[in-house]
Amino acid sequence: MTRSLRTGAIAVAALAASFALTACGSDDAKEDSGADAPASATPGAGGGEGSGESGGGSVDAAALEGTWVGLTDGRHVTVSIAARKVALVADKSVCQGDVKDMGGEPMLALKCTDGGTERTMGAIDSVDGSKLVVSWDGGAKDTLAKAEAGKLPSGMPSLPDLGDLPEVPAP
């Protein structure tokens, strides 16, 4: 019982931290990266969704900024990226790390607090203003939607009713 409470508390704290990271960014940064978008989209002109934004092309690390949420295999995944720092909450794992340049392409390099290795090195398959697709070396592939800044995403699980917890005696 204590373990599930601790896991829930860690997940909530990590999620709160990821939203705090997102809230630290200003809308001006989004406008600045949007101003660069036409120039970066020009080489991929004539393409459909994700043109110039695929893992085989040039993904700009600034396009990764924000909080991204989704379900992978029925489990919630949240990734928050700000100033090249990454926080991830997936299932019972809480991971943090950096956006690294690997051969000219940004990759997500993370360490998980539980020692998990499923999501430690992630390649960006595609990113646009509303969707991020990451393939992890551990085999998982996450398709995530961008969360609105300053708002909690919908459809996230809530903590279980904690009314039946035993009281901890005071020291």
Side-chain angles (χ1 to χ4, degrees), residues 73-85:
D73 297 329
R75 297 172 189 253
H76 291 276
V77 177
T78 301
V79 175
S80 185
I81 303 171
R84 299 186 70 89
K85 297 292 183 189

Side-chain angles (χ1 to χ4, degrees), residues 19-84:
F19 288 121
L21 282 173
T22 301
C24 290
S26 70
D27 289 334
D28 293 339
K30 288 180 188 174
E31 290 172 9
D32 288 336
S33 64
D36 294 339
S40 65
T42 303
E49 291 181 6
S51 263
E53 300 282 339
S54 67
S58 58
V59 174
D60 182 18
L64 301 173
E65 296 272 326
T67 299
W68 305 86
V69 295
L71 290 173
T72 300
D73 297 329
R75 297 172 189 253
H76 291 276
V77 177
T78 301
V79 175
S80 185
I81 303 171
R84 299 186 70 89

